[in-house]
């Protein structure tokens, strides 16, 4: 496990530059942003605040690379993607420490989840592209045959958030390049480091220059320039619902394909007939993993009335035992929140909860970690609410804060679970098969976990409904998004 001294070995982010046409280059207008370390609250480097000119530069590199890359055989693309995957695994410790320093998450989590999943993303799509078939239909009796060409779109845009930086950045880039596209990608300006390090890894893997271009900067300038660019034909975005709506507004008149994976306010529904101990352990994880900064966290916990008091006692006891600490400590369960602004947003929601007569059962306070007094540390917080209509049950907080309340019947809890503008995921704890199917059919979400949480098979469709977004990532859904289907009909 990394120790604190080792964390300082990460190259100062002053080294962070754009990766365009296979080269690291400075932003044209020499405009830079501070990069903060959430664990210490200190600036530890600079990142480019790229302009439209940088995005145009990246687009030109991608456009130049496209004819050759789109004609590369899928065996060659597969080989390169799998090589990238292997190099990510070879750099596990270095990337995990970089991710932890940028995001504030425990190094242990970055080592167990974030970086391995980034490697899996490239390995999965390196394999999937060799199986991605199209279709043909013989028009019997008409001497005609139809077949479908699945062709890469061209230059596509990938924009990702700060909560799972390399995990989500690569979740978009891997299928995009596997399908033969060239990419202009922008990571969050809050967590740029691992995206920066991905550039050199792609070069080392033999990815031809210009296939992947990484530009850093603010969403409202650099991100907006990607959305607006007429030569960038499709956008794959993960981030906040409000941002997704703004992107759709700009992209729609430009007729760009859009994949939007947005916020969530996910119900965790617990029936008395569940496997109690397994449920309890997993519910602590689904509530507070990554400091609760995962769009899939089960932030609204509904518990069947007959076990509500027992659950409340046991759950609060487990939450109180969680250790808030420096992300590099092996004993840390809860690291730092990603930024000062986000820390304030979460604290504001805790005040809103109090104003709405929510009962703070544990947590709710800033934590001062010795030696890191300026870090953004917050206690994991459990709030008992009296109504599902309160703001903290309706709005995405995206921090280590969950609500709990009892329910009497399946009908009642289903109505509460669905009564929210989001529809990303739901978790259900029960051993009743008929109830499982009744609930899974009626929950208005894109993902339902039964007796588990965040178990992922990359072949499966991933995404939400309502205000949680448009489209699906994962498996062949992602390859379909990053290709255009052309039907050819031949009369013979
Ligand atoms: O997302 P943003 P952030 C939710 C969560 C979080 C909120 C904001 O509630 O608090 O969204 O988080 C770029 N045009 N989720 O700040 O602001 C931006 O630079 C083009 C849930 O991370 O949406 C960054 O790279 N790009 C989500 C990316 O969009 C723009 C995970 C995300 O930024 C842009 C993260 C614009 N106008 C946050 N504005 C999930 N579902 O996993 C911003 N960006």
């Amino acid at each position: 496990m990394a120790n604190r001294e080792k964390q300082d070995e990460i190259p100062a982010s002053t080294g962070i530059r754009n990766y365009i046409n296979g080269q690291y280059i400075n932003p044209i207008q020499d405009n830079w942003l501070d990069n903060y370390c959430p664990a210490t609250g200190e600036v530890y480097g600079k990142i480019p605040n790229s302009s439209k000119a940088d995005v145009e530069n990246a687009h030109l590199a991608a456009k130049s690379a496209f004819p050759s890359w789109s004609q590369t055989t899928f065996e060659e693309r597969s080989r390169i993607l799998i090589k990238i995957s292997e190099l990510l695994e070879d750099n596990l410790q270095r990337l995990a420490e970089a991710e932890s320093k940028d995001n504030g998450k425990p190094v242990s989590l970055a080592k167990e989840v974030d970086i391995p999943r980034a490697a899996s993303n490239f390995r999965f799509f390196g394999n999937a592209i060799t199986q991605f078939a199209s279709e043909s239909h013989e028009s019997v009796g008409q001497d005609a045959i139809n077949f479908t060409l699945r062709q890469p779109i061209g230059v596509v845009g990938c924009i990702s958030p700060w909560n799972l930086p390399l995990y989500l950045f690569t979740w978009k880039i891997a299928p995009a390049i596997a399908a033969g596209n060239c990419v202009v990608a922008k990571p969050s300006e809050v967590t740029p480091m691992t995206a920066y390090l991905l550039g050199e890894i792609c070069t080392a893997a033999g990815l031809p220059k210009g296939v992947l271009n990484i530009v850093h900067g603010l969403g409202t300038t650099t991100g907006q320039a990607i959305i607006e660019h007429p030569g960038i034909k499709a956008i794959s975005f993960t981030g906040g619902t409000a941002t997704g709506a703004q992107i759709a507004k700009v992209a729609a008149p430009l007729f760009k394909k859009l994949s939007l994976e947005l916020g969530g306010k996910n119900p965790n529904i617990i029936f008395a007939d569940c496997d109690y101990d397994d449920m309890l352990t997993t519910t602590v994880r689904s509530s507070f993993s990554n400091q609760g900064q995962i769009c899939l966290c089960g932030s609204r916990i509904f518990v069947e009335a007959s076990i509500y008091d027992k659950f409340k006692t046991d759950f609060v006891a487990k939450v109180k035992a969680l250790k808030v600490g420096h992300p590099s400590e092996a004993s840390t369960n809860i690291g730092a929140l990603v930024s000062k602004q986000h820390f304030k947003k979460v604290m504001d929601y805790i005040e809103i909860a109090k104003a709405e007569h929510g009962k703070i059962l544990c947590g709710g306070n800033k934590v001062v970690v010795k030696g890191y007094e300026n870090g953004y540390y917050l206690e994991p917080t459990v709030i008992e609410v009296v109504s599902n209509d309160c703001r903290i049950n309706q709005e995405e907080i995206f921090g280590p804060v969950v609500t709990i309340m009892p329910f009497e019947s399946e009908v009642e809890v289903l109505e509460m679970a669905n009564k929210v503008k989001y529809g990303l995921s739901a978790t259900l704890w029960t051993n009743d098969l008929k109830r499982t199917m009744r609930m899974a059919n009626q929950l208005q979400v894109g993902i339902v976990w039964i007796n588990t949480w965040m178990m992922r098979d990359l072949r499966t469709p991933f995404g939400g409904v309502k205000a949680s977004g448009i489209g699906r990532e994962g498996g062949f859904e992602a390859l379909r998004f990053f290709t255009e289907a052309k039907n050819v009909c031949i009369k013979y």
Side-chain angles (χ1 to χ4, degrees), residues 414-471:
L414 190 64
E415 196 268 337
M416 290 196 289
N418 286 332
K419 194 180 178 194
V420 69
K421 74 174 189 177
Y422 297 99
L424 188 54
S425 69
T427 304
L428 178 61
W429 292 93
T430 181
N431 282 308
D432 180 327
L433 178 61
K434 289 180 181 175
R435 169 188 287 152
T436 297
M437 290 315 294
R438 280 196 303 272
M439 299 283 285
N441 274 293
Q442 297 176 84
L443 284 162
Q444 296 165 4
V445 293
I447 303 148
V448 181
W449 278 297
I450 313 288
N451 300 333
T452 186
W453 176 73
M454 198 81 166
M455 181 174 279
R456 292 280 297 116
D457 179 324
L458 303 192
R459 293 169 296 181
T460 59
F462 181 89
V465 297
K466 302 196 297 187
S468 291
I470 302 171

Side-chain angles (χ1 to χ4, degrees), residues 159-163 168 186-189 217-220 223-224 227 237-241 243 246-247 261-263 295 342 345 396 398 424:
I159 298 178
S160 58
W162 49 253
N163 61 322
L168 291 175
K186 191 195 83 72
S188 171
E189 59 278 19
L218 293 174
T220 47
Q224 178 94 351
I227 306 299
F237 169 78
T238 295
T241 289
T243 311
Q246 169 59 26
I247 287 172
E261 200 275 298
L262 307 176
C295 55
H342 189 57
K345 170 183 168 184
E396 188 183 41
F398 215 60
L424 188 54

Side-chain angles (χ1 to χ4, degrees), residues 124-125 128 132 171 175 456-462 473-480:
F124 175 82
F125 285 107
F132 183 50
W171 182 230
R456 292 280 297 116
D457 179 324
L458 303 192
R459 293 169 296 181
T460 59
F462 181 89
E473 298 184 289
F476 291 154
E477 297 280 347
L479 295 175
R480 287 190 196 102

Side-chain angles (χ1 to χ4, degrees), residues 318-337:
K318 277 189 170 286
V319 174
K320 283 181 173 175
L322 292 173
K323 183 175 179 295
V324 180
H326 190 281
S328 66
E329 295 286 350
S331 58
T332 291
N333 305 116
I334 307 277
L337 271 66

Side-chain angles (χ1 to χ4, degrees), residues 183-466:
V183 176
V184 176
K186 191 195 83 72
S188 171
E189 59 278 19
V190 179
T191 52
M193 181 56 91
T194 47
Y196 164 70
L197 296 173
L198 178 66
E200 67 191 38
I201 285 173
C202 288
T203 298
L207 188 68
K209 63 184 185 177
V211 173
L212 171 62
N213 303 280
I214 301 168
V215 285
H216 295 273
L218 293 174
T220 47
T221 48
T222 315
Q224 178 94 351
I226 293 170
I227 306 299
E228 290 173 338
H229 195 293
I232 298 175
K233 302 295 186 189
I235 300 291
S236 176
F237 169 78
T238 295
T241 289
T243 311
Q246 169 59 26
I247 287 172
K249 202 182 292 180
V250 172
L254 300 168
F255 302 105
K256 298 191 179 190
K257 274 183 97 169
L258 273 185
S259 166
L260 300 175
E261 200 275 298
L262 307 176
K265 192 70 184 183
N266 312 305
N268 178 2
I269 303 166
I270 300 167
F271 283 91
D273 74 335
C274 69
D275 293 336
Y276 188 85
D277 293 342
D278 184 19
M279 174 279 295
L280 196 59
T281 304
T282 306
T283 294
V284 171
R285 190 165 60 87
S286 66
S287 300
F288 301 110
S289 179
N290 203 45
Q291 296 68 246
Q293 297 167 146
I294 299 177
C295 55
L296 299 165
C297 279
S299 50
R300 292 184 292 151
I301 302 174
F302 300 101
V303 183
E304 192 164 18
S306 59
I307 60 164
Y308 181 71
D309 289 339
K310 173 175 171 52
F311 171 81
K312 187 162 69 168
T313 305
D314 295 344
F315 182 57
V316 168
K318 277 189 170 286
V319 174
K320 283 181 173 175
L322 292 173
K323 183 175 179 295
V324 180
H326 190 281
S328 66
E329 295 286 350
S331 58
T332 291
N333 305 116
I334 307 277
L337 271 66
V338 74
S339 69
K340 195 171 192 174
Q341 296 78 350
H342 189 57
F343 178 88
K344 182 182 180 310
K345 170 183 168 184
V346 177
M347 289 302 282
D348 288 349
Y349 270 109
I350 291 170
E351 290 312 309
I352 289 166
K354 291 174 187 170
E356 292 183 319
H357 312 298
K359 186 178 174 191
I360 312 287
L361 300 180
C362 67
N365 304 300
K366 176 179 173 57
V367 175
V368 177
V369 173
K370 190 169 176 339
Y372 297 94
E373 287 69 16
N374 295 325
Y376 319 128
Y377 299 97
L378 175 60
E379 290 174 329
T381 303
V382 181
I383 303 173
E384 184 173 53
V385 293
V386 294
S387 159
N388 181 53
D389 296 332
C390 63
R391 283 187 61 186
I392 63 166
N393 257 42
Q394 292 296 312
E395 299 173 22
E396 188 183 41
I397 299 173
F398 215 60
V401 180
V402 294
T403 66
I404 66 170
M405 64 181 288
F407 68 87
E408 296 292 342
S409 72
E410 198 178 296
V411 171
E412 179 199 7
V413 73
L414 190 64
E415 196 268 337
M416 290 196 289
N418 286 332
K419 194 180 178 194
V420 69
K421 74 174 189 177
Y422 297 99
L424 188 54
S425 69
T427 304
L428 178 61
W429 292 93
T430 181
N431 282 308
D432 180 327
L433 178 61
K434 289 180 181 175
R435 169 188 287 152
T436 297
M437 290 315 294
R438 280 196 303 272
M439 299 283 285
N441 274 293
Q442 297 176 84
L443 284 162
Q444 296 165 4
V445 293
I447 303 148
V448 181
W449 278 297
I450 313 288
N451 300 333
T452 186
W453 176 73
M454 198 81 166
M455 181 174 279
R456 292 280 297 116
D457 179 324
L458 303 192
R459 293 169 296 181
T460 59
F462 181 89
V465 297
K466 302 196 297 187

